[in-house]
Amino acid sequence: MASRTFLCFNHGKLLLPFTTTKIAPSKRPIKSFGFSSVSYSLNTPQPTVERKSQMGGTPNVVKILEERGLLESITNENLRSVCSDQTAAPLKVYCGFDPTAESLHLGNLLGLIVLSWFQRCGHKAVALIGGATGRIGDPSGKSQERPELDLNTLERNIVGIMEIINKILSKNPNLGSEENSDFMILNNYDWWKEVRLLDFLKQVGRYARVGSMMSKESVKKRLESEQGMSYTEFTYQLLQGYDFLYLFKNEGVNVQIGGSDQWGNITAGTELIRKILQAEGAYGLTFPLLLKSDGTKFGKSEDGAIWLSPSMLSPYKFYQYFFSVPDSDVVRFLRILTFLDMEEINELEIAMKNPGYVPNTAQRRLAKEITRFVHGEDGLNEALKATEALRPGSETKLDWKTIEGIAEDVPSCSLPYSEVLNLSIVDLSISSGLLESKSAARRLLKQGGVYLNNKRVDTESKRIEAEDVVDGKVLLLSAGKKNKVVVRIS
Ligand SMILES: Nc1ncnc2c1ncn2[C@@H]1O[C@H](COP(=O)(O)OP(=O)(O)OP(=O)(O)O)[C@@H](O)[C@H]1O
Ligand SMILES: N[C@@H](Cc1ccc(O)cc1)C(=O)O
C-alpha cells in the first residue's frame, strides 16, 4: 500500500467538533526536530485493504506477543480476530512517551519493540511524545509527584527522544528494507496547547466518572500515601484518555499500547471513546514491565540506567551489558528484546544445557541483535570493534580512533610525550594510575598479566618506544582482563 509522508504542525480546533486541519503533504521525511509533531507517514484510514506484512500472510500480532512474553492484558478479546482479519484495514497503533529525560531507556524500549512487531505484521505505528503530558507528570507507579520540568529541559528531552524513536523505527535493518517511512511521531502539545479549560470540562470532563477515576491503581496507591495527590496529577489519566480519543478521531489510531502500569490511562481512553464518540473498535494492549533478576524494574530512576542514546551510554557499554547478562535471564531477554525466530531461541535454550555449549553464545547473540536494533549496523560495528580492542591478547591492530572510542568507558590520563618515551613499563603502570605500587606491577608482569596495546609484556625491562604510541597519540595499558587505562599523549 502506498504511504504518504506528511509533516503536521498545527492540528486544528480541539475538542468538539474534533476536526483536524488539512496538512500539506511533503515528499520526504523531515529530519529537523522541534517542539512540534513530525509525521513521517500518514495513511488516511481505509475501510478495506489487503494487508501486506513483512512476514507473509497475515500474522497475528497478539499471538506473537503472547508467545514471546510481551502480552499482559488486552481491553477486548476481539483484538485477536481483528488483527488477523485479512480483509480488515491495518491497525494503527500508538505508544506514548513523556519527555522526562533526554533519552529513553531499556524499559521504554519495550514500547518500541511492540510497535515494531505491529509494523512487521503489516500495521502502522505512531509514537507520541508527551510534550503536554510531560508538563503534568504521570502518577502511574510513582510514590511521589514528579518534579516539574522547566521548558528548556522539556524541549531538550523532546528532541533527544524524537531522535531515538526516529532512528529505531525508521531504519530498522530487521525489516529488510533500507528506509521505513511508515510511521509517525506526534507531540500531544500540538493539540493540548489550544484546549480551554471550560471546553474541556464541558466536553470531556462531563463524561469522566470520578468513581472510575478514583478506582485506578495509580490513584488508589497515591491516595494511601502520606503526600496524597494533587488535582493536577489526578487529571493525568484524562489527558492521556483524551489523546487516544483525539488520535482515534483524527488519525484513525485504534490501538494504544503501554507497559502494564499504563492500564488505567489506556482504559480511560477506551472509555472516553465509547462514551463521547459512541464508537467501538478502540483497543488497549499492555505488556509486562521488564524486570531485572532481582525483581526491580528497568527504569531511569534506578542506578545505572540502560540508556538508548549513544551520548548517554556508548554502544560498546550497551553491548557489554547484554553480553554479561546471567544465563538465567538470557533466554527471556532473547524472546522479549529481539526479533529472532522462536525456533532459534528454543534451540539456543536447549544448546545451553548441552556439554558442548560454548559459554556466552546466547549472550553474544542477544547483545548483537539488540545493539543493532537500537544503534544500527554502525553502532554494532563500533561496539564489536571496541569489544575486540579491549580484549587482552587480541590480534586486532589497534588504531587511535578505536582506543579513543573506548576512552569514555575506561579510566584515562594524559602524560607528556617526553615523560612517556623511554619510561619503564613498571613506572608507566604507576604514573598512569593502573597499578598502585611497583611491587604489584612487577608481580603482575611475572604472572603475564600486563598488556600494552593488547600485547602481553613479559619483561620488566620493557621501556616505551615511539612505535608503542598508537598513531602518535595514545597507549592502552591493561592489568589482567578487566583493568585498563587509556594514556593520552599531551
Ligand atoms: N521496565 C519497564 N518495562 C516495560 N515498560 C516500561 C518499563 N519502564 C517504563 N516502561 C514504560 O515506559 C513508559 C514510560 O514510563 P515512565 O516514564 O514511568 O518510566 P520510567 O522512565 O521508567 O520512570 P522511572 O524510572 O522514573 O520510574 C510507560 O509506558 C511504561 O509502562
Ligand atoms: N503516560 C505515559 C506517556 C503517555 C503520554 C500520553 C499518551 O497519550 C500516552 C502515553 C508515560 O508515563 O510515559
Side-chain angles (χ1 to χ4, degrees):
M1 188 177 65
S3 68
R4 285 182 295 145
T5 306
F6 272 67
L7 168 68
C8 32
F9 284 112
N10 284 310
H11 288 258
K13 282 267 171 283
L14 294 156
L15 296 164
L16 285 177
F18 297 116
T19 53
T20 308
T21 38
K22 283 275 167 276
I23 303 146
S26 112
K27 290 239 157 36
R28 61 196 160 82
I30 305 299
K31 297 287 182 196
S32 64
F33 301 120
F35 217 65
S36 292
S37 305
V38 178
S39 167
Y40 284 86
S41 157
L42 196 66
N43 296 300
T44 38
Q46 297 182 3
T48 51
V49 283
E50 201 165 315
R51 184 145 34 92
K52 284 209 184 75
S53 83
Q54 310 289 330
M55 306 165 76
T58 309
N60 187 318
V61 64
V62 175
K63 216 168 142 202
I64 291 175
L65 296 175
E66 198 164 33
E67 202 172 57
R68 304 188 76 102
L70 275 167
L71 183 69
E72 173 96 18
S73 308
I74 42 180
T75 53
N76 187 329
E77 284 296 318
N78 287 346
L79 181 59
R80 291 176 191 274
S81 49
V82 171
C83 66
S84 57
D85 181 352
Q86 201 129 28
T87 58
L91 296 166
K92 213 165 192 181
V93 50
Y94 100 94
C95 184
F97 305 90
D98 275 349
T100 49
E102 227 177 309
S103 168
L104 295 178
H105 56 70
L106 181 59
N108 306 137
L109 182 64
L110 261 64
L112 295 177
I113 289 174
V114 174
L115 282 182
S116 187
W117 271 119
F118 272 89
Q119 288 179 317
R120 284 155 202 258
C121 294
H123 305 288
K124 311 281 164 208
V126 176
L128 177 95
I129 314 274
T133 37
R135 295 169 186 230
I136 303 303
D138 187 349
S140 312
K142 297 279 168 296
S143 53
Q144 285 187 345
E145 191 151 346
R146 292 186 191 245
E148 205 183 317
L149 295 171
D150 64 79
L151 290 187
N152 284 340
T153 309
L154 207 64
E155 185 157 11
R156 209 177 39 244
N157 293 351
I158 290 173
V159 172
I161 290 176
M162 273 181 143
E163 271 174 6
I164 293 170
I165 295 174
N166 178 42
K167 192 166 145 195
I168 294 181
L169 291 183
S170 73
K171 275 213 187 309
N172 187 337
N174 297 314
L175 276 172
S177 61
E178 267 288 291
E179 279 278 340
N180 164 36
S181 59
D182 229 2
F183 77 102
M184 31 172 188
I185 304 177
L186 300 174
N187 180 347
N188 63 10
Y189 187 70
D190 279 350
W191 49 92
W192 278 109
K193 67 182 177 214
E194 285 167 18
V195 172
R196 284 181 305 201
L197 181 66
L198 284 180
D199 291 337
F200 179 72
L201 292 177
K202 234 171 86 176
Q203 293 165 23
V204 178
R206 201 178 281 291
Y207 294 89
R209 308 310 297 168
V210 172
S212 154
M213 290 175 73
M214 299 273 287
S215 70
K216 307 275 170 178
E217 214 40 52
S218 58
V219 175
K220 277 201 290 192
K221 264 203 193 136
R222 290 294 294 281
L223 287 183
E224 285 159 12
S225 76
E226 214 173 288
Q227 272 196 336
M229 182 177 224
S230 70
Y231 175 73
T232 303
E233 276 193 298
F234 181 57
T235 57
Y236 187 98
Q237 53 179 286
L238 288 188
L239 302 188
Q240 189 164 331
Y242 177 71
D243 279 346
F244 195 4
L245 182 146
Y246 179 93
L247 293 170
F248 181 86
K249 174 80 184 160
N250 295 300
E251 306 287 2
V253 169
N254 40 14
V255 183
Q256 183 181 177
I257 61 158
S260 56
D261 58 346
Q262 295 297 306
W263 180 255
N265 295 337
I266 293 175
T267 51
T270 50
E271 279 163 33
L272 285 183
I273 291 169
R274 218 178 26 249
K275 284 184 188 155
I276 300 181
L277 302 178
Q278 301 193 339
E280 299 297 326
Y283 302 94
L285 179 152
T286 57
F287 41 85
L289 293 181
L290 185 67
L291 304 177
K292 301 182 196 159
S293 31
D294 65 1
T296 58
K297 168 185 133 170
F298 280 101
K300 66 174 163 302
S301 314
E302 352 298 319
D303 281 347
I306 310 300
W307 297 110
L308 306 188
S309 159
S311 59
M312 287 170 76
L313 189 74
S314 70
Y316 162 72
K317 276 205 163 163
F318 185 86
Y319 177 93
Q320 285 299 319
Y321 178 82
F322 292 100
F323 190 76
S324 312
V325 299
D327 279 354
S328 53
D329 280 340
V330 71
V331 174
R332 178 169 66 98
F333 283 4
L334 278 165
R335 284 197 193 109
I336 293 176
L337 300 173
T338 76
F339 299 89
L340 289 179
D341 272 359
M342 283 297 282
E343 246 173 58
E344 193 178 340
I345 298 174
N346 294 340
E347 275 167 20
L348 260 171
E349 188 175 18
I350 294 167
M352 284 176 76
K353 293 178 190 134
N354 288 339
Y357 175 72
V358 179
N360 290 331
T361 306
Q363 279 84 348
R364 182 170 291 112
R365 198 71 214 271
L366 168 70
K368 270 192 176 173
E369 291 299 315
I370 187 168
T371 307
R372 187 187 291 115
F373 184 65
V374 171
H375 294 293
E377 207 62 49
D378 288 351
L380 173 61
N381 286 336
E382 183 188 322
L384 291 175
K385 226 173 147 186
T387 301
E388 178 59 13
L390 277 170
R391 188 173 64 80
S394 145
E395 287 300 314
T396 311
K397 187 164 166 15
L398 283 172
D399 57 34
W400 162 73
K401 260 188 140 176
T402 308
I403 299 184
E404 268 305 320
I406 59 173
E408 66 183 59
D409 298 317
V410 301
S412 63
C413 70
S414 285
L415 293 173
Y417 186 63
S418 55
E419 200 177 297
V420 171
L421 198 67
N422 234 357
L423 193 65
S424 79
I425 191 80
V426 172
D427 288 339
L428 182 62
S429 304
I430 313 302
S431 47
S432 63
L434 180 74
L435 293 167
E436 276 180 0
S437 68
K438 289 192 180 191
S439 54
R442 290 199 180 99
R443 206 174 324 119
L444 201 63
L445 273 158
K446 269 206 191 95
Q447 292 163 358
V450 176
Y451 295 82
L452 177 63
N453 300 331
N454 285 341
K455 300 250 153 27
R456 178 174 290 156
V457 182
D458 38 27
T459 161
E460 246 183 67
S461 58
K462 163 76 185 161
R463 287 185 179 274
I464 306 304
E465 298 163 60
E467 63 255 33
D468 291 328
V469 183
V470 178
D471 297 334
K473 292 179 178 161
V474 278
L475 295 131
L476 178 66
L477 201 62
S478 325
K481 288 204 166 151
K482 295 250 158 80
N483 292 344
K484 294 169 205 304
V485 63
V486 170
V487 181
R488 289 197 184 93
I489 301 301
S490 53

